[in-house]
């Protein structure tokens, strides 16, 4: 049954993968061909935009779509535990985000051909941004899983972006290292040699699980549609 | 129809939105005012501008959406459409009431700013009065109109507002990016002039007209998330395409990495019409590939080792500074350069400077793959006493070498460079008075005079060209000219760093000792050109085209007198430095670029690379 739900989510969200994939590919090819700015800057610009746009595209209707289309009544009547429904949505979105970043990082390496930056350097940057994007999307889930409209989801996603940005600015300005490591954006700080990527990763894993557990609990406990 | 009643209904309907918006736009100015009053350091007008520029236009869009959406829910919409009322008039009233409210919201911080500034006895800057506030005002009208029109059409508040804001951004950028008039945006739209504002107003009016028709004929554009996202991506793509077609429209035919230890030196020189690389290899292009063929031995440095360190003297200056003036006679290659030397003296202010005592013309020849000095001619008589900045320039015209040192001109016959003969000498008679045309804000039609050089043995036209280049292209006149001759009309071109313009002066007529010229055309740099261009290192004219080279930008202009100065091509590499460039016989261009690790990762293996680029002539 889980496979069927997974398949349903995959079919419903395939256009997001196509959209983000095509747009990322087109802009990567274009910017790396015209080369007005250096390859590393191109990579940073593309990755930075991807980090915000890809989670937004996935978050817009992943949960709220079922409610605004009123299909949630049908979905909740299927004899499947609700946590499976939640995880099918999350897994499909997370897979899509990973594939998009993986594809764009490979494309960047192909386009740059190591002419200005060492091989795998650009893809490394892009994947760090990808990890941040995945974490941001994960943090959207606890707050957005009960959202009823696209506008609500959008507002929640922006709140997550801004909220973590405020935490990051505070942590960096007050030199609170442990707080800086908690922020999803901290993966980008790994570009700086002073930041320990392993420590950051270790801090992020429990937070990632915590966010998922809370999101799952909130999704399971939706009452108003029963 | 009772217009007053409708207006009253509109205002009542939007009263909460008005209060919230006024509250939002007034928070910062009031806070600034209170803090300023408490600390006694006045009121910062920047706050007002910030509010007016960023928040007020966005709120104008919000007012538009609220204004329309109140009547657009399914039941209410059917109700008022069924009434025997003039739909167009009603929508027009709604539009103008909402617009008046938006302007009121926009005006709140602006009027508050003016009053408080007046109370503090401060002045509102002219830039704010003349530019920022009017532009914000028109911008607010544009956003309001677009959001209004789109809401009538889409009937979804959030999407209508989002698309309205995006379209505003699109239309604001569009004039800067449109490939009008053969890749040149500037010919049609001029920055910050009434034309640009008219463009904004036209969009607003069109949007209003659209809303009228949409209501009358009940047009309803159904949107979904998918189509919305694809549209946004499409708009961004179009903008990027237009941007790249404006600033990256010269095709790169080949990129070839080269090994060189030379720094800040012009590696591309001309021998006749041919371009040579590092003075020892001809550059030729077959099938759009760069190929290098040996000139006939490795020339190396053109200045003999004994002189390059100053020849035992303390200080010196060499002309040409970077490049080389090379002439081929049979199978032999000769290089000409002037060497001025002097000593360090103390000025009245106590600082050190160089006082030039003498100058020498050297002629070198390639022998057994190295330069050997073959002639040395003293030019010290050309120098006055107490010369601190020595002026030097040279040009070969046919078999004559014209050497300028300060206010003297010496002409040599170089038919046999080893036996160079002085033909003429005009010592201390060449006027040095000139107008700084490319550093002054002359108006169109302004007339200037250029002293004519008393050169002998060349045509009148060549004399005029020499006179112009001597003043305005002295550094590069040994290899290039800024003068163009078209149908007997002589013009010269340059970049005016004072006004940020590309200018054309035309020669009107010649008097016995001066040439009368007039500023004929002035082309302002565009927004995009200003973004990438830092300072112009080299400007020259060749085959009816003007080439302008900045640190990392190359621009090529068509300078046909009938069509004006039109941009043909633009090449930018922000992390590269254009060290030198040369135009090939077929119109293609060769660039020597140096890439350094300024923007590169700290662990990059390569710290610096040199490239030869072959670019297609636009």
């Amino acid at each position: 049954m889980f496979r069927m739900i997974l398949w349903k989510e995959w079919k419903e969200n395939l256009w997001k993968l196509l959209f983000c994939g095509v747009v990322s590919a087109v802009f990567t090819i274009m910017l790396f061909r015209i080369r007005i700015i250096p390859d590393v800057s191109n990579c940073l610009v593309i990755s930075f935009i991807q980090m915000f746009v890809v989670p937004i595209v996935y978050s817009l209707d992943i949960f709220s779509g079922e409610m605004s289309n009123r299909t949630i009544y049908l979905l909740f009547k299927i004899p499947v535990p609700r946590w499976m429904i939640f995880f099918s949505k999350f897994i499909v979105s997370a897979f899509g985000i990973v594939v998009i970043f993986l594809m764009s990082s490979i494309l960047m390496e192909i386009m740059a051909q190591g002419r200005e930056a060492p091989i795998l350097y650009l893809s490394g940057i892009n994947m760090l941004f990808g990890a941040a994007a995945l974490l941001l999307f994960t943090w959207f889930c606890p707050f957005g899983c009960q959202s009823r409209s696209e506008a609500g989801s959008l507002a929640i996603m922006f709140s997550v972006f801004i909220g973590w940005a405020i935490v990051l600015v505070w942590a960096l300005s007050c030199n609170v290292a442990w707080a800086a490591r908690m922020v999803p954006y901290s993966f980008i700080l790994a570009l700086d040699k002073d930041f320990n990527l392993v420590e950051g990763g270790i801090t992020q894993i429990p937070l990632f699980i915590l966010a998922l557990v809370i999101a799952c609990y909130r999704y399971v406990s939706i009452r108003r549609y029963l | 129809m009772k217009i007053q009643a409708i207006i009253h209904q509109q205002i009542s309907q939007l009263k909460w939105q008005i209060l919230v918006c006024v509250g939002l736009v007034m928070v910062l100015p009031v806070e600034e005012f209170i803090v300023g009053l408490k600390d006694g350091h006045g009121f910062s007008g920047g706050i007002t501008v910030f509010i007016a520029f960023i928040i007020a236009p966005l709120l104008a869009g919000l007012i538009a959406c609220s204004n329309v959406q109140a009547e657009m829910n399914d039941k209410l919409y059917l109700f008022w459409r069924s009434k025997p009322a003039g739909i167009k008039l009603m929508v027009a009233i709604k539009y103008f009431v909402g617009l008046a409210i938006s302007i009121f919201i926009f005006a709140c911080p602006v009027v508050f700013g003016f009053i408080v500034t007046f109370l503090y006895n401060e002045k509102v800057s002219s830039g704010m009065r003349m530019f920022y506030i009017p532009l914000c005002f028109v911008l607010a009208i544009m956003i309001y109109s677009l959001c209004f029109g789109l809401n009538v059409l889409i009937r979804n508040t959030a999407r209508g507002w989002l698309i309205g804001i995006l379209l505003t951004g699109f239309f604001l950028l569009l004039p800067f990016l449109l490939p009008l008039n053969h890749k040149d945006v500037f010919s049609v739209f001029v920055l910050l002039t009434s034309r640009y504002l008219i463009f904004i107003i036209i969009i607003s009016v069109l949007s209003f007209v659209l809303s009228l028709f949409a209501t009358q004929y009940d047009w309803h554009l159904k949107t979904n998330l998918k189509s919305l996202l694809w549209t946004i991506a499409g708009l961004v793509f179009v903008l990027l395409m237009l941007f790249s077609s404006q600033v990256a429209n010269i095709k790169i035919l080949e990129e070839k990495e080269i090994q060189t230890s030379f720094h800040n030196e012009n590696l591309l020189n001309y021998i006749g019409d041919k371009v040579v690389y590092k003075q020892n290899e001809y550059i030729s292009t077959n099938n759009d590939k760069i190929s290098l063929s040996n000139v006939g031995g490795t020339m190396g440095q053109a200045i003999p080792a004994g002189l390059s360190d100053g020849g035992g003297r303390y200080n010196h200056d060499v002309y040409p500074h970077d490049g080389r003036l090379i002439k081929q006679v049979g199978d032999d290659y000769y290089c000409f350069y002037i060497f001025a030397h002097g000593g360090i003296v103390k000025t009245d202010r106590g600082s050190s400077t160089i006082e030039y005592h003498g100058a020498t013309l050297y002629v070198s020849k390639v022998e057994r793959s190295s330069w050997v000095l073959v002639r040395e001619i003293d030019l010290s008589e050309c120098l006055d006493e107490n010369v601190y900045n020595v002026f030097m320039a040279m040009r070969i015209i046919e078999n004559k070498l014209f050497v300028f040192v300060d206010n003297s001109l010496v002409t040599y016959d170089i038919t046999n460079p080893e036996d160079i003969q002085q033909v003429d000498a005009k010592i201390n008679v060449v006027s040095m008075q000139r107008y700084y045309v490319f550093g002054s804000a002359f108006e169109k039609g302004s007339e200037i005079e250029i002293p004519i050089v008393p050169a002998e043995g060349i045509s009148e036209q060549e004399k005029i060209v020499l006179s112009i280049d001597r003043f305005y292209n002295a550094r590069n006149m040994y290899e290039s000219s800024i003068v163009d001759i078209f149908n007997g009309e002589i013009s010269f071109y340059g970049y005016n760093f004072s006004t940020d313009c590309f200018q054309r002066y035309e020669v009107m007529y010649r008097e016995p000792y001066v040439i009368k010229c007039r500023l004929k055309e002035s082309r302002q740099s565009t927004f995009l050109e200003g973004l990438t261009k830092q300072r112009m290192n080299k400007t020259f004219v060749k085959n009816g085209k003007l080439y302008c080279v900045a640190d990392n930008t190359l621009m090529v202009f068509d300078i046909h007198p009938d069509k004006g100065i039109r941009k043909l091509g633009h090449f930018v590499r922000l992390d590269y430095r254009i060290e030198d460039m040369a135009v090939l016989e077929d119109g293609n261009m060769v660039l020597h670029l140096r890439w350094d690790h300024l923007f590169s990762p700290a662990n990059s293996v390569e710290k610096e690379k040199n490239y030869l680029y072959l670019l297609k002539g636009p």
Side-chain angles (χ1 to χ4, degrees):
Chain A
M1 206 62 185
F2 184 61
R3 276 175 57 190
M4 282 174 65
I5 295 174
L6 215 52
W7 176 245
K8 169 205 167 270
E9 293 300 334
W10 168 254
K11 290 281 281 180
E12 274 181 10
N13 292 289
L14 187 60
W15 73 269
K16 294 177 185 174
L17 182 63
L18 286 173
F19 172 78
C20 294
V22 169
V23 172
S24 298
V26 167
F27 285 103
T28 303
I29 291 169
M30 194 171 175
L31 289 176
F32 274 80
R33 266 189 72 85
I34 59 176
R35 282 176 71 188
I36 290 172
I37 53 174
D39 287 346
V40 177
S41 305
N42 269 328
C43 172
L44 286 170
V45 168
I46 294 166
S47 307
F48 190 77
I49 294 169
Q50 276 182 320
M51 183 177 72
F52 292 114
V53 172
V54 176
I56 284 177
V57 171
Y58 270 96
S59 66
L60 269 175
D61 69 345
I62 188 82
F63 298 112
S64 65
E66 303 283 5
M67 305 199 196
S68 58
N69 296 332
R70 298 169 197 275
T71 49
I72 197 163
Y73 299 104
L74 302 170
L75 197 63
F76 279 4
K77 283 198 171 71
I78 299 171
V80 179
R82 282 200 200 170
W83 65 266
M84 275 192 184
I85 300 172
F86 169 79
F87 274 104
S88 67
K89 287 182 182 297
F90 180 79
I91 288 168
V92 166
S93 304
F95 177 75
I97 292 171
V98 170
V99 168
I100 290 159
F101 276 90
L102 204 62
M103 184 218 64
S104 59
S105 60
I106 291 169
L107 201 57
M108 281 178 197
E109 287 295 339
I110 293 168
M111 294 298 295
Q113 297 170 349
R115 60 196 171 198
E116 288 177 13
I119 302 284
L120 296 180
Y121 186 82
L122 299 181
S123 54
I125 292 177
N126 192 242
M127 290 314 289
L128 285 174
F129 276 87
L134 182 59
L135 283 173
L136 286 167
F137 176 76
T138 309
W139 276 108
F140 157 82
C141 293
F143 305 101
C145 65
Q146 292 192 356
S147 167
R148 280 180 284 178
S149 66
E150 284 168 15
S153 301
L154 196 64
I156 291 165
M157 195 69 244
F158 273 110
S159 304
V160 170
F161 291 154
I162 295 165
W164 278 121
I166 291 169
V167 175
L168 184 67
V169 169
W170 164 74
L172 291 179
S173 57
C174 298
N175 220 2
V176 188
W178 61 268
R181 283 200 297 269
M182 285 171 62
V183 181
Y185 303 118
S186 63
F187 277 102
I188 306 162
L189 299 177
L191 294 172
D192 183 9
K193 280 180 180 172
D194 294 337
F195 186 85
N196 191 326
L197 189 60
V198 179
E199 279 182 16
I202 291 168
T203 315
Q204 289 291 344
I205 290 168
L207 287 169
F208 175 79
I209 295 167
L210 179 71
L212 272 184
V213 169
I214 296 170
C216 186
Y217 173 75
R218 293 202 69 212
Y219 193 77
V220 168
S221 58
I222 292 176
R223 299 245 176 263
R224 74 178 83 99
Y225 297 104
L226 283 175
Chain B
M1 205 180 335
K2 292 180 179 175
I3 293 174
Q4 275 184 335
I6 295 175
I7 294 171
H8 180 260
Q9 181 260 336
Q10 289 292 297
I11 294 171
S12 304
Q13 197 172 293
L14 293 171
K15 61 178 182 290
W16 290 111
Q17 282 90 335
I18 297 169
L19 280 174
V20 169
C21 290
V22 170
L24 275 173
V25 295
M26 290 306 290
V27 166
L28 274 175
V30 169
E31 187 262 354
E32 170 68 18
F33 171 67
I34 293 167
V35 171
L37 199 67
K38 204 173 165 185
D39 298 345
H41 54 59
F43 179 77
S44 169
I47 291 288
T48 311
V49 172
F50 175 76
I51 300 282
F53 202 79
I54 306 290
I55 302 177
L58 297 179
L59 292 179
L62 216 60
I63 290 286
C65 295
S66 312
N67 193 12
V68 176
Q69 211 53 44
E71 317 286 359
M72 284 291 169
N73 69 54
D74 292 343
K75 289 171 186 171
L76 204 58
Y77 179 71
L78 285 174
F79 169 74
W80 67 259
R81 274 199 75 88
S82 64
K83 296 291 159 194
I87 292 173
K88 275 188 179 172
L89 180 64
M90 192 174 156
V91 170
I93 292 169
K94 276 182 88 64
Y95 175 85
F96 285 110
V97 169
L99 185 63
I101 292 169
S102 301
I103 291 169
F104 167 73
I105 292 166
F106 169 78
C108 282
V110 175
V111 173
F112 181 81
F114 273 106
I115 292 169
V116 174
T117 312
F118 175 73
L119 290 176
Y120 274 117
N121 285 327
E122 289 173 0
K123 281 185 177 174
V124 179
S125 68
S126 61
M128 201 185 291
R129 270 187 291 117
M130 305 301 290
F131 171 64
Y132 289 111
I133 292 172
L135 190 71
C136 296
F137 177 72
V138 182
L139 198 66
I141 293 175
M142 185 178 177
I143 291 186
Y144 173 84
S145 306
L146 278 170
C147 287
F148 188 91
L150 286 164
N151 250 279
V152 171
L153 202 64
I154 295 170
R155 299 182 198 171
N156 181 314
T157 314
R159 287 180 190 174
W161 184 76
L162 191 66
I163 300 173
I165 299 288
L166 282 169
L167 275 182
T168 305
F170 180 77
F171 284 127
L172 285 176
L173 286 174
L174 197 63
F176 300 113
L177 304 172
L178 274 178
L180 297 168
N181 200 1
H182 306 290
K183 301 179 188 174
D184 190 358
V185 67
F186 186 77
S187 307
V188 180
F189 291 100
V190 182
L191 280 177
L192 307 179
T193 63
S194 57
R195 285 184 191 180
Y196 189 58
L197 297 181
I198 286 168
F199 175 75
I200 294 176
I201 291 166
I202 287 172
I203 295 290
S204 308
V205 172
L206 286 178
S207 182
F208 170 58
V209 173
L210 172 79
S211 65
L212 290 182
F213 279 95
T215 325
Q216 189 179 14
Y217 297 107
D218 198 15
W219 293 344
H220 182 193
L221 183 68
K222 289 186 178 168
T223 54
N224 60 34
L225 190 62
K226 228 184 281 186
S227 59
L228 193 68
L229 288 173
W230 279 112
T231 310
I232 293 168
L235 285 180
V236 176
F237 181 73
V238 168
L239 284 180
L240 257 177
M241 283 293 285
L242 290 172
F243 174 79
S244 71
S245 73
Q246 284 293 306
V247 298
N249 54 2
I250 297 182
K251 191 178 176 189
I252 300 165
L253 298 173
E254 204 200 353
E255 179 181 340
K256 189 185 183 97
E257 191 177 346
I258 51 169
Q259 302 298 327
T260 178
S261 56
F262 289 77
H263 271 269
N264 300 320
E265 188 161 9
N266 294 2
L267 294 183
L268 304 172
N269 288 286
Y270 292 95
I271 297 180
D273 287 335
K274 289 184 176 174
V275 180
V276 284
Y277 165 65
K278 272 191 187 176
Q279 304 153 33
N280 60 3
E281 287 177 294
Y282 281 123
I283 292 179
S284 53
T285 52
N286 294 318
N287 300 326
D288 296 338
K289 296 278 178 198
I290 296 174
S291 56
L292 303 169
S293 53
N294 211 300
V295 169
T298 306
M299 292 183 186
Q301 290 277 18
I303 298 173
L307 298 175
S308 59
D309 62 358
R313 304 172 189 107
Y314 289 110
N315 286 286
H316 68 276
D317 194 4
V318 180
Y319 184 89
H321 296 286
D322 302 321
R324 299 284 170 260
L325 177 57
I326 301 170
K327 182 175 170 63
Q328 184 179 6
V329 180
D331 293 334
D332 295 325
Y333 297 94
Y334 294 91
C335 178
F336 302 87
Y337 46 93
I338 316 168
F339 192 90
H341 49 87
I344 293 176
V345 291
K346 291 277 183 190
T347 61
D348 296 341
R349 293 180 179 178
S351 57
S352 299
T353 187
I354 305 166
E355 188 179 49
Y356 289 96
H357 305 307
T360 312
L361 171 69
Y362 289 105
V363 185
S364 295
K365 181 189 176 186
V366 177
E367 274 186 14
R368 290 187 296 277
S369 303
S370 62
W371 290 101
V372 177
L373 194 63
V374 290
R375 275 302 293 273
E376 182 176 336
I377 299 165
D378 188 21
L379 297 170
S380 298
E381 61 173 338
C382 299
L383 288 176
D384 275 341
E385 287 182 359
N386 303 328
V387 175
Y388 300 115
N389 288 307
V390 62
F391 174 90
M392 296 184 285
M394 273 197 297
R395 174 170 286 173
I396 294 174
I397 300 175
E398 292 172 356
N399 282 326
K400 288 196 171 57
L401 174 68
F402 295 89
V403 179
F404 295 93
V405 177
D406 262 8
N407 54 358
S408 303
L409 165 64
V410 188
T411 312
Y412 297 97
D413 184 341
I414 53 167
T415 312
N416 177 8
E418 287 187 51
D419 186 25
I420 184 169
Q421 298 291 327
Q422 184 176 316
V423 177
D424 186 32
K426 301 280 192 296
I427 306 297
N428 297 337
V429 293
V430 188
S431 173
M432 295 295 282
Q433 286 185 339
R434 62 168 162 169
Y435 292 87
Y436 289 91
V437 291
F438 298 123
S440 310
F442 287 126
E443 288 181 3
K444 198 174 170 184
S446 301
E447 291 183 11
I448 60 159
E449 289 176 354
I450 299 172
I452 197 149
V453 294
E456 302 286 346
I458 52 174
S459 71
E460 193 63 24
Q461 212 171 48
E462 284 169 335
K463 209 180 278 187
I464 292 172
V465 173
L466 197 64
S467 304
I468 294 169
D469 274 328
R470 173 183 170 251
F471 270 143
Y472 301 117
N473 186 35
R475 187 184 171 88
N476 297 313
M477 72 176 278
Y478 69 97
E479 65 168 6
S480 67
S481 173
I482 58 167
V483 185
D484 181 55
I485 303 168
F486 182 80
N487 285 345
E489 286 180 26
I490 304 174
S491 304
F492 66 97
Y493 297 81
Y495 170 70
N496 188 325
F497 57 86
S498 166
T499 55
D500 195 18
C501 290
F502 298 92
Q503 294 181 324
R504 174 189 163 215
Y505 281 83
E506 70 166 7
V507 174
M508 293 155 64
Y509 52 88
R510 188 205 153 158
E511 288 183 350
Y513 298 105
V514 292
I515 316 159
K516 286 273 189 184
C517 301
R518 176 172 58 192
L519 178 56
K520 184 74 177 172
E521 192 183 347
S522 202
R523 178 199 179 279
Q524 186 77 42
S525 283
T526 65
F527 172 74
L528 291 179
E529 288 161 8
L531 284 179
T532 57
K533 167 172 60 64
Q534 289 146 6
R535 62 191 171 90
M536 214 55 81
N537 296 329
K538 196 174 183 181
T539 307
F540 64 93
V541 169
K542 193 162 189 180
N543 302 329
K545 287 176 187 165
L546 172 67
Y547 297 85
C548 299
V549 185
D551 278 352
N552 45 32
T553 303
L554 162 70
M555 283 182 276
V556 184
F557 297 92
D558 180 14
I559 49 171
H560 194 284
D562 298 338
K563 294 177 183 171
I565 304 173
R566 292 181 308 120
K567 195 166 81 183
L568 294 175
H570 194 139
F571 169 85
V572 184
R573 280 277 189 280
L574 283 182
D575 55 335
Y576 286 70
R577 184 183 154 80
I578 301 175
E579 295 282 349
D580 198 6
M581 82 153 285
V583 182
L584 299 169
E585 288 166 319
D586 57 6
N588 289 346
M589 296 164 287
V590 178
L591 264 64
H592 168 216
L593 287 114
R594 183 163 55 82
W595 172 78
D596 59 31
H597 60 285
L598 190 64
F599 297 100
S600 302
N603 59 348
S604 175
V605 181
E606 302 284 352
K607 294 294 180 195
E608 184 182 307
K609 285 180 182 177
N610 284 273
Y611 292 93
L612 278 183
Y613 270 52
L614 176 64
L615 305 182
K616 180 126 184 99

